[in-house]
Amino acid sequence: MFRRKWSGLPADPEFPIDLKELGYFINKDDEVRSIENPDHYFKFFLTRNQRWNERQRFAFNQAIQNEIHERLEKLDMKKYLLPVGTTDPTKPHVPIFVSRDIITKSRIVVIFGETSQDLGVLAHRVIGGPGGVNKGSMVSIVSELQKQHSSPTDPSPPGIILANMGELVWWPEGKRTLSRSAFEGVPAKNAVHYGNIISAKNEVEHNENMKVHIHYIFDKVIPHFVKEDVGVDVIGVGDGADYVEQYLDLEPVWQTWKKRVNCLALVGGLHAVWELSGGDFVKQFLPNKARAYAISSEPAGIPLSGPEGNPKTSTFTQLGCPVFSSGATQYTELSLIASASAVLSWLQEVAMTPEGEDYVNPSFQIMYADPEVDDGPDWSEWKDGASEGNRHGSDEAQVEQELEETDGNGGEQPGLLLVTRPDEDQGEKGGA
């Protein structure tokens, strides 16, 4: 009998959380490149062993996040720990970023990112590929917001709060929270360990999941950092947009916040309007003060639909508000990157509404429809095989007859045989 000891299992691979030691650097175009070959970006498939690849990506993402956080801090964004008042970084906490001078602001912008992303990250495919660190992170968004005016009478930029929708799993050994995907990459007992189990010990009080985190941001964070009369612009990205929309749709919540939420940008969100309550948030706010930016092949900012939806496009537009193209054609995580100019310009438009006036979305005359592409047969009048059985039989009979006639032509085999399907009338005659 053989017995395998734990010590006999392969050790989990270790990688340094440092770009240079991992073999990468950031070039003059702000792109991460390989030191060994500067023409190459980040290489995930380091070996054929998936665990080695995941552990390298974990270290790489942590190193990149450190770089992003340093840049955000240079933009006067300060990292705070939740629950509010937490000062011991070794205790379970969730970090967020808040403008240092937010208490002085007359307008703030709160951004809820995707639940799959690390704090400050928009898309790793841009950070570690074409585009670069700033473009693929919240650094670009914060930089642009800091160029805006808070109102017609206040030229100072708005305050900013970056919520942390992704990193809600507490990692005791690392003394920090991680996203669920990142949690799979933390060091394990060995390289063939089954995985990491998420339990109550991995939860942070008042921030156990993304829905509770949104509530905590509105219920505790904003009142703690912001004056009571300050207006709030909200941006939601991907499923973060869906969750924040669900939250604001709750009647008690909306009664509390309806006078303070200036506008809502749903970037890459897909929450159907019929799944909402149908209250004032849906009937009044969404059509008048919200906009959605959807995955589309059209350039960013092109209007695709009014609040009632557009049946002439395959893009989902039943969102209860005007829908515009985000400029991203495939990936939701690219939506805010591609539509940043359109989204932030609209937020500035709302903010610059003359004092005493209430902003309302203009009426849009939607002419957009998907282009008709002849890329295959028209199946709109398709009939099932049972009703067309006789016709198919006659088709096969005619093909066989043509083959026999061709073979009898001097015994020569044709190099190319063109077989045509008879029309409906001929099929019926052949069947008779």
Side-chain angles (χ1 to χ4, degrees), residues 291-303:
R291 291 188 181 183
Y293 296 83
I295 296 294
S296 173
S297 58
E298 298 298 324
I302 296 295

Side-chain angles (χ1 to χ4, degrees), residues 13 22 41 57 86 108 138 163 177 239 250 259 356 359:
L22 287 169
Y41 295 105
R57 178 171 61 182
T86 301
I108 68 167
M138 288 292 183
T177 50
D239 55 352
L250 298 173
K259 294 182 179 179
Y359 178 85

